[in-house]
Amino acid sequence: MEKQLSKKTLNKSFWLWFYGNLTCFSQEHMQTFGYLSAMLPICEELYAGEPDKLARSMKTYTAFFNTEPQIGAIVVGVTAGLEQARANGEPVDDETINGLRAGLMGPLAGIGDSLIVGTVIPILLGIALGLASGGSIIGPLFYVVTWNLFALLGMRFIYFKGYQLGGKAVEILVGEKAQAIRESIQIVGAMVIGAVAASWINVSTAYKMLDANGEVIVDLNNSLNSVYPKLLTAVTVVICWWLMSKRKISPTKVMGILVVVAFVGVLIGFFNPGLQY
Amino acid sequence: MEISWLQAALLGLFACLSSMPGLGGTTFGNYTLGRPLVAGMVVGAILGDLRTGIMVGAAMQLVYIALVTPGGTVSADVRAVSYIGIPLAMVALKAYGLDPAASDGVSLATGFGVLVGTVGTVLFYLTATMNLLWQGIGWNAIEKGNYKQIYRVNMLYPWVSHILCSFIPALIMCRLGAPAVDAIKMYLPMDGLAMKTIFTVGSLLPAVGVAILLKQICLKATDFIPFFFGFTLAASMGLNLVSATVIAAMFAFIKYEIKTAKLATKFAGGATDTDEEEDI
């Protein structure tokens, strides 16, 4: 008789991945234990009473795994489907499964990092920041609800698509239509981040040129803002971008550079937060 | 403002849940509870000042708006930023008598939070290293066929790592932070060079957060156009973020329509080609 994974087992496997993909993270094995725990209910159901086959299949998943864990749900779904095929005697071996896993890890990490962490989360956080002005609780609540719904439903969808369609399911994420959607969402991301930068970052200079009588001739901050509002903020962002992407300086070091810039700027009077008790 | 042992312990618990690799899971732990904006709400509720918490969290969120951890390399640790940095920033604001809504309050909070977050990176490496112990137990159990142990290795034993590397640091730093902040205030008056520098750094740091994100989406000069379009909408035209998002969505919609139209012509073209070949 054909072996068929029950809905209950698949759900259990999905939730184990959803919750446990990174709970026992180490630099050496990364998501491997999350993967093993998500595959355990699958293998136990397929090979009940066959300890040899159970051992063989669990051994397959001891191979290293690491990707963007949320979009990686699709890989767990695909291997659940492959394992079921293997249990039914189809020609699926360790190499098929681990070749597929290794082949998908890199590209999916790239898509996941740029689309989810680099675009969707910043867009939702950007809107939430707007809603949180004045300390309103609507901002954080908006993010908690929209992000978790999006992530949970999205992960469930790709996990079960992966299980049903196998390797072909990856087309949903990397196909031409998916690419068109991705590029469109990235436009929203870039624009929202621009608006976030302009609304929330405030770099200004205190430099004023005075004449002999102490009258202000040039108020640098006002002059710059009349050229392009928030010019100094825009320039600071672009310089940070240039340091990181063209000079390959790490974010932590760029922060260190800014500390030096701030110190020198305060010394020569370019920056002055204008504090008093 | 004092933080009691009970409040500090609650903050410690949230630190365990929210970190990368946290025990609240990736989606709800790291990407929800670990985001400074959400953490601001949680910390505000624990310390009894929701409004200040959310405002401090919002200010700090900007620095970490795109905190990507590719391949497990981190530049800041969210548990430290969110559940040590935010409470201490709130204490500092109260100590200096600053309003979290004013720009100097925002700068102070950001400066404080980022400092703590950068120092907290060490917590991430300690947790990840300690998890190797549990994984060692796991490999042995798999050898012996004792598979149930995998669940405990993956979801139960890491609590020990977190009690040592998340709970205790947050508990102690939050509890003892308030007197420390008072001491700092004694030695560093607000009109001195050191505080002026901290405030200025606080106003510059969010630029790094935005630049980290731009590094991923802007590879060539033209990629900056949508960014500056959004920037101009807010800076020059005074639109708020929700309105700017709606306009952005319209542009994305147009781009999508053009892309799919191109795809359609490509496929249609392909089909005609094969037809012709069949005719021949």
Side-chain angles (χ1 to χ4, degrees):
Chain A
M1 198 186 85
E2 280 268 300
K3 286 181 180 171
Q4 174 72 42
L5 285 163
S6 68
K7 186 89 182 165
K8 198 178 147 220
T9 305
L10 287 167
N11 270 325
K12 190 176 175 195
S13 159
F14 168 76
W15 283 109
L16 281 168
W17 178 255
F18 178 80
Y19 172 71
N21 51 45
L22 273 173
T23 42
C24 193
F25 173 92
S26 75
Q27 297 282 354
E28 197 180 337
H29 303 295
M30 299 204 168
Q31 294 158 3
T32 312
F33 271 87
Y35 212 104
L36 280 164
S37 77
M39 289 310 291
L40 184 54
I42 303 275
C43 293
E44 277 182 330
E45 183 176 90
L46 289 173
Y47 306 113
E50 295 173 285
D52 287 359
K53 286 184 174 174
L54 175 65
R56 173 208 63 195
S57 289
M58 285 309 287
K59 195 166 187 324
T60 310
Y61 302 103
T62 55
F64 175 83
F65 189 77
N66 188 50
T67 188
E68 202 292 308
Q70 299 168 106
I71 212 155
I74 196 168
V75 188
V76 188
V78 170
T79 46
L82 284 174
E83 198 59 57
Q84 182 180 310
R86 168 150 81 171
N88 286 321
E90 284 180 41
V92 175
D93 58 10
D94 282 6
E95 241 167 82
T96 324
I97 293 176
N98 278 328
L100 184 111
R101 291 209 305 161
L104 287 176
M105 281 192 310
L108 287 184
I111 293 175
D113 282 344
S114 67
L115 181 71
I116 299 178
V117 191
T119 310
V120 175
I121 290 180
I123 290 173
L124 293 177
L125 280 173
I127 299 171
L129 278 170
L131 297 172
S133 62
S136 165
I137 197 169
I138 296 171
L141 287 181
F142 166 83
Y143 176 76
V144 172
V145 172
T146 51
W147 159 245
N148 281 286
L149 273 181
F150 169 81
L152 180 59
L153 296 179
M155 284 172 77
R156 265 195 85 87
F157 176 75
I158 57 174
Y159 178 96
F160 283 97
K161 275 287 172 222
Y163 168 69
Q164 287 155 5
L165 304 177
K168 272 177 286 179
V170 181
E171 270 300 295
I172 301 171
L173 299 173
V174 299
E176 279 175 317
K177 192 150 186 183
Q179 202 186 342
I181 294 175
R182 263 203 330 270
E183 286 177 8
S184 310
I185 295 175
Q186 270 163 0
I187 295 247
V188 183
M191 281 177 60
V192 170
I193 285 307
V196 165
S199 312
W200 285 81
I201 310 181
N202 197 10
V203 181
S204 57
T205 172
Y207 178 79
K208 291 185 176 67
M209 193 188 276
L210 305 177
D211 68 7
N213 304 323
E215 300 272 318
V216 176
I217 318 170
V218 179
D219 180 332
L220 187 59
N221 206 44
N222 281 347
S223 317
L224 291 175
N225 280 341
S226 62
V227 176
Y228 179 64
K230 295 228 166 186
L231 180 61
L232 216 47
T233 301
V235 169
T236 313
V237 171
V238 174
I239 291 175
C240 291
W241 170 82
W242 180 77
L243 286 172
M244 281 188 277
S245 60
K246 298 291 166 192
R247 304 301 301 265
K248 310 284 177 212
I249 299 175
S250 77
T252 317
K253 282 189 189 141
V254 172
M255 288 182 178
I257 293 171
L258 288 184
V259 173
V260 176
V261 168
F263 181 74
V264 174
V266 169
L267 264 187
I268 62 173
F270 187 79
F271 294 121
N272 184 356
L275 300 166
Q276 52 209 200
Y277 284 104
Chain B
M1 187 170 152
E2 277 275 302
I3 297 177
S4 71
W5 282 111
L6 177 67
Q7 287 170 326
L10 282 172
L11 293 170
L13 178 66
F14 274 97
C16 296
L17 295 176
S18 68
S19 51
M20 198 323 258
L23 289 164
T26 303
T27 306
F28 187 69
N30 185 26
Y31 287 125
T32 305
L33 295 173
R35 299 301 102 178
L37 181 65
V38 178
M41 172 175 77
V42 174
V43 175
I46 292 174
L47 298 186
D49 188 347
L50 202 57
R51 179 176 166 272
T52 308
I54 292 171
M55 293 182 92
V56 170
M60 240 176 267
Q61 180 60 70
L62 211 52
V63 184
Y64 302 107
I65 193 137
L67 193 64
V68 188
T69 51
T73 50
V74 298
S75 55
D77 181 77
V78 285
R79 93 197 85 175
V81 170
S82 292
Y83 294 99
I84 303 174
I86 292 177
L88 291 185
M90 286 174 70
V91 170
L93 281 177
K94 292 271 155 79
Y96 281 92
L98 293 172
D99 181 4
S103 70
D104 50 359
V106 169
S107 301
L108 178 74
T110 316
F112 247 84
V114 172
L115 195 69
V116 175
T118 315
V119 175
T121 315
V122 69
L123 299 176
F124 164 78
Y125 288 104
L126 281 175
T127 319
T129 309
M130 204 168 171
N131 283 343
L132 280 170
L133 280 176
W134 322 132
Q135 295 184 339
I137 297 175
W139 295 128
N140 272 330
I142 291 169
E143 264 324 287
K144 294 191 186 112
N146 180 14
Y147 296 115
K148 290 290 175 207
Q149 185 79 324
I150 291 173
Y151 294 138
R152 289 193 287 272
V153 165
N154 195 45
M155 291 173 285
L156 183 65
Y157 302 153
W159 273 103
V160 179
S161 318
H162 277 280
I163 286 170
L164 292 174
C165 306
S166 308
F167 182 79
I168 290 177
L171 178 80
I172 292 177
M173 288 181 75
C174 290
R175 179 71 184 100
L176 303 181
V181 167
D182 280 338
I184 292 171
K185 193 190 154 207
M186 283 272 291
Y187 292 108
L188 299 178
M190 266 218 294
D191 42 6
L193 184 60
M195 280 317 274
K196 276 188 183 171
T197 305
I198 291 180
F199 277 85
T200 307
V201 171
S203 71
L204 293 175
L205 280 176
V208 181
V210 169
I212 292 174
L213 192 54
L214 286 180
K215 192 182 147 197
Q216 296 176 53
I217 51 180
C218 295
L219 304 172
K220 52 186 189 296
T222 47
D223 292 341
F224 273 101
I225 294 173
F227 172 77
F228 276 108
F229 187 78
F231 193 93
T232 309
L233 286 179
S236 308
M237 302 171 75
L239 288 189
N240 71 19
L241 284 162
V242 177
S243 317
T245 310
V246 172
I247 293 178
M250 186 65 214
F251 276 89
F253 176 67
I254 294 170
K255 167 139 187 164
Y256 178 74
E257 292 282 296
I258 294 172
K259 275 259 161 194
T260 41
K262 265 190 198 159
L263 283 181
T265 37
K266 203 168 105 193
F267 286 134
T272 359
D273 281 353
T274 39
D275 283 346
E276 278 168 1
E277 274 167 25
E278 276 167 14
D279 287 339
I280 292 162

